[in-house]
């Protein structure tokens, strides 16, 4: 029931502000005997790391993770794994403006309304910097379910979507957009460059898929796999919509069009003829790939002045200088992958507890 | 951590199968001293009740709720409130077919894969009948936050959407579709009639809005108001997508287009010039209306035969006779309202605990 | 986090007041495929049932349990099991006195101070009647861990304790005190008869032991097996002290006197030469019998007038007429057994989740 | 549901091993706006710190706490507070013996049986070093309930108990035993010196009392204040028994002897004429002082060889050299105080949520 913890049995607690000395996570409930070292986690952090292309924020953070507990002689012991990343490039000297006026679209006003105070430096706790710890924890989750393969990509930026016919998983790592469509990646470069130069920002859609999830994970009624995934994804900074399988497109479908017909498959398992359900039925995995989509809003930090109010309720205009992502959805890909890994690993443990 | 409980502090546990003797819920954590009797709950159940028009299932259930505990001399005592509804019209004599073969799109296969067994009568625990208890619990939640006004409606059936310009809240209760657009309600009557007669089904989109939510509800990072709402809504039977505010439309927006500008308002609160955020920022309510949308898939129970397999893995075809909703999204409206009420009341309590 | 739920993965939610229409429990998280019917539960309820000898309250309750969900064709399905017992012999017509003045030692004042109101009939929610549902749920827990044998008894009433040298498990069921010492059982009959006739009451000590618990159950640091057991037992009505193993006697022991030496045992497991630890070390079971002791205070309901105050703060005297247990510890035995079974079954599931 | 988290709403997650680089805690759910800095926490850590007299372990740890998040400009922000203490004096070079054989009375065997592996250095996660973080978190809890005064002391070492007639709270801080009886403190010095020189150890009883707890805290049935306190205290390393109020002595009491009579008091509250209940009735505080007692077993680390087995199941003898507490109960006082503070602050929040 902790506000800053995620998961039922694989339980991740994160802490830290954007411009505090460090950020961290405690991963509790990890099975013992899993080989684990910092090098298992670092590549996922590197994929999310800012400052790697001109299309993301220029804040330079090495994001070097350290494991402080829960691992002995190269393997997990079953006790809590403490992860920490020092904050390096904070530049918080000049946050007086932000402390005094609310940036529209940011959590500034909501935090003040709730707590009566907030750490304004870099967004404080509401900063997307917190998602680094999700990525680190997600790397551990992947090792708990080694047979599950998780892959994410950006499917749309602005109104330019990938063409599924050109989908090539190998292309995802070859451009700064996690884009599986080489042609569209070029269009996005131009699009996002324009956005960036204009001091504006743009939204995006991200997709993540998990292959190799066996049938049976998920716990009806109020810990359904899709319910938990929706909560996990909607809780990522800037996400405003989540779909499982066909998502909103199901509204226009008939029962015939939506039915995932089954045939006898190999090794005793059913072969499905389609996957409208996105691999989840009744809140439980079916053995098909688990497919999730989510929409990221455009970063609220823009150079264009927007009408706002000060902390004292006076009218003002706010324009956000500083280093920001022109399209925050891009770096959302490793975060979404991590939340998928965490949710699945958690449900594997839940399932094993009840149904071994 | 219960699989069949919902909420942090206002905690609802439901139980029961479609064709068992009864279904029920235990509502725990309700504040004391709230006037409550069955008549406060019944109207919401009546709104969800099947068999009221030809557009919903013909199963006849009076859905008469009884309060078995937690209320004394007409008011809550702070102890758990037990609610029960007897199942009346079960007709489960003939479920041999369903027990033997998996209905595509249903949870049949997933339940068997998970548990190794299931109650096949009427879908057992996976039946939408469980949602009656959400509606009953939601009626109690509304009384906990009496200043919050919650309203839901169907926004789209198939590919026929309402016209926001014709939105009239008074129209919602005047047609069997919870439709706020009188013109579209007539089109839906024809559409759903055709679907029903064809033994088919059709999807829908439902919207719910809460007015009167003060700024400050929601608990970052992993109990965000939007994260919890997404989990709550995606956990409703047949829901495949959830949006907060502008939802997936944000992908195509620029930062300027998405910014909810603020001006000094009356009574010391800000006046927002738009509500792209759907009333939630950083996981915390802003004082604007909380807007949620969700997509319901078409009922999987259709007369058209669909390829499937038997429990023993043999190929077969399945067509679902019996009484079913041609458009399950319609009766989803009271359920979505209830989940919104429950989530908000829960977060009011959470907020009060930490930030009084 | 529900106030009226117990357990991590095997999660029991109880509801109901002493003089409401019924009491009940929802048992969630039970593994599927366990043979279960009412007859599996009833004997444990019968052991706790009031009115069976002159040494317990004369309230006559058949305590007939019904299973309303979660079981299909004689076996659990993995969905929540709803249990209900109708209240039959309430006699609540005359609770005006109790409503108006606080009975010293009862929860009357505390409930009013907390909630501002309470159901005074028979103690309402604070009545020991609630423990019937613990016993019912405990019967299910026993079936989840069939290799664990649980046995409880009364070890002391007033200042008359059993002699361990005369301990005979077969004697426990042969007297109305769950007394394993035939000689002491006779002394207790005289003692409790005197107490009863005087309209007084007396305290007791209860012991419960679980044999067959394998090493490895328990989850450090804050879900330790002994920590959870202590919480479970102290939460039973009237319990004021809990000991694991040697309990308070360890204060006077030296390290040498307290050490449970180990030798190589049969089948690869260690043989312990003593069991001061009560089968738990570092919060984890060691494979030895788990031993728990607890003290029950004397029932507060006595005929002797005790100074008290009215709800309005005026001085008064209270004497409690009506039907009450002269020694509530006696009927505590099946309750303590149930809490031990529930805690162990829950930890078996927790252990299986993390360490399979 | 985390294994390494404590509390419902004020939620403390601890991590770290005795000989890892650091230990830490995340305190989540703390109300905003509470003045907090390291100097508020350090005195409590200093009271628990080892190496301050010859009666505790000679390990030298400065136990300097750092706050890494959740505090801004000297006050809490409502976001998680991360606390960290570097481990300094580890001396873990020689733990080969401990890794190879099980120390009787330690958690060595239980951890291996559960996890299949463990960090043997200094007891790893099962070390009492973890309790430093409870003390640090407890210091924060005290600031959440500033009107509650918490005081603990040692009441018995071996078979030498304090004389309540000589109880003097001012004496507690004037001797190395937290002893409120000056005369007995001298006897303990001799007693514990003898134990220490013999390479042995001895048990103790600790008492903690909270004054100023208002009536109404506690949440029946399964989050009772006494139930939660019992779990909290029994979960402290080496504790084997917990009592609330009169504890085990109630077994010998009559209803008359146990009744806490009430009279009209000042300021509208009742005046109790005794406090057998220890300030809790029906799981809810009554406004009287909350009294808790607990028994600490003697440290298992002794120089006397004890029969044991190796990891491979071979017979051996174990004697524990190194630096250890001859009476671990002494340093248990600040830990017990902390668990009392944490439990009470948590229940204040719970109560405020439901019953404001």
């Amino acid at each position: 029931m902790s506000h800053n913890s995620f998961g039922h049995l694989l339980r991740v607690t994160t802490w830290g502000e954007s411009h505090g000395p460090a950020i961290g996570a405690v991963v509790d409930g990890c099975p013992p005997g899993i080989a684990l070292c910092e090098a298992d986690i670092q590549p996922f952090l590197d994929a999310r790391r800012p400052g790697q292309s001109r299309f993301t924020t220029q804040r330079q953070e090495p994001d070097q993770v350290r494991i402080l507990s829960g691992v002995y002689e190269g393997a997990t012991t079953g006790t809590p794994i403490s992860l920490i990343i020092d904050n390096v490039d904070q530049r918080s000297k000049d946050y007086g403006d932000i402390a005094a006026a609310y940036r529209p679209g940011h959590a500034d006003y909501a935090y003040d309304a709730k707590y009566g105070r907030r750490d304004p430096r870099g967004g404080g706790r509401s900063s997307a910097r917190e998602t680094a710890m999700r990525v680190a924890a997600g790397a551990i989750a992947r090792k708990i379910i080694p047979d599950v393969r998780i892959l994410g990509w950006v499917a749309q930026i602005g109104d330019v979507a990938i063409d599924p016919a050109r989908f090539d998983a190998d292309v995802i790592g070859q451009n700064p957009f996690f884009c599986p469509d080489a042609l569209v990646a070029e269009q996005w470069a131009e699009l996002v460059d324009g956005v960036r130069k204009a001091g504006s920002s743009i939204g995006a859609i991200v997709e993540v898929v998990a292959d190799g999830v066996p049938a049976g994970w998920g716990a009806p009624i109020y810990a359904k796999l899709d319910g938990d995934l929706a909560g996990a994804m909607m809780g990522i900074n800037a996400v405003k919509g989540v779909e499982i399988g066909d998502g909103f497109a199901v509204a226009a479908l008939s029962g015939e069009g939506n039915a995932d017909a089954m045939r006898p498959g190999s090794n005793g398992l059913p072969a499905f003829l389609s996957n409208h359900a996105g691999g989840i039925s009744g809140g439980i995995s079916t053995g098909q790939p688990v497919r999730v989509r989510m929409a990221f809003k455009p970063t609220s930090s823009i150079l264009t002045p927007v009408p706002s109010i000060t902390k004292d309720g006076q009218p003002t205009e706010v324009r956000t200088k500083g280093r920001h992502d022109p399209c925050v959805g891009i770096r959302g890909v490793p975060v979404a992958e991590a939340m998928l890994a965490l949710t699945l690993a958690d449900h594997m443990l839940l399932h094993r507890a009840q149904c071994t």
Side-chain angles (χ1 to χ4, degrees), chain A residues 125-143:
Chain A
R125 181 69 179 151
S126 71
S127 164
R129 181 136 188 76
E130 187 269 346
T131 60
M133 298 321 303
R134 306 183 185 218
V135 171
I140 296 175
R142 286 175 191 251
K143 300 208 75 170

Side-chain angles (χ1 to χ4, degrees), chain A residues 188-278:
Chain A
W188 288 352
E190 198 168 344
L191 172 65
V192 179
D193 245 348
V195 165
R196 182 177 61 83
K197 287 173 184 163
S200 183
S201 64
I202 190 102
I205 291 177
V206 166
E207 295 180 358
V208 280
V209 171
D211 280 292
V213 177
W217 293 2
I221 299 290
Y222 297 108
K224 284 179 176 173
L225 183 55
D226 41 1
D228 280 3
L229 281 171
M233 298 305 177
M234 194 68 91
I236 298 174
N237 304 40
V239 170
K240 301 302 284 184
V242 179
E243 297 180 317
I244 306 288
D246 282 6
F248 276 86
V250 298
L253 290 182
S254 67
E256 289 78 5
N258 185 59
D260 294 321
M262 302 161 85
R263 293 282 82 186
S266 54
N267 53 42
L269 296 173
F272 290 89
L273 305 187
S274 58
N275 187 13
H276 299 286

Side-chain angles (χ1 to χ4, degrees), chain A residues 83 110 162 221 309 345:
Chain A
L83 305 171
I162 60 167
I221 299 290
I309 58 173

Side-chain angles (χ1 to χ4, degrees), chain A residues 97-110 118 300 304-320:
Chain A
D97 293 358
I98 288 175
Y102 299 125
R103 295 168 296 169
H106 276 92
D108 298 348
Y109 170 70
R118 72 193 148 95
S300 308
T304 314
V306 182
S308 185
I309 58 173
T310 66
K311 212 172 163 177
D312 304 324
Q314 298 307 307
T316 186
E317 290 210 322
V318 171
R319 57 193 296 265
T320 312

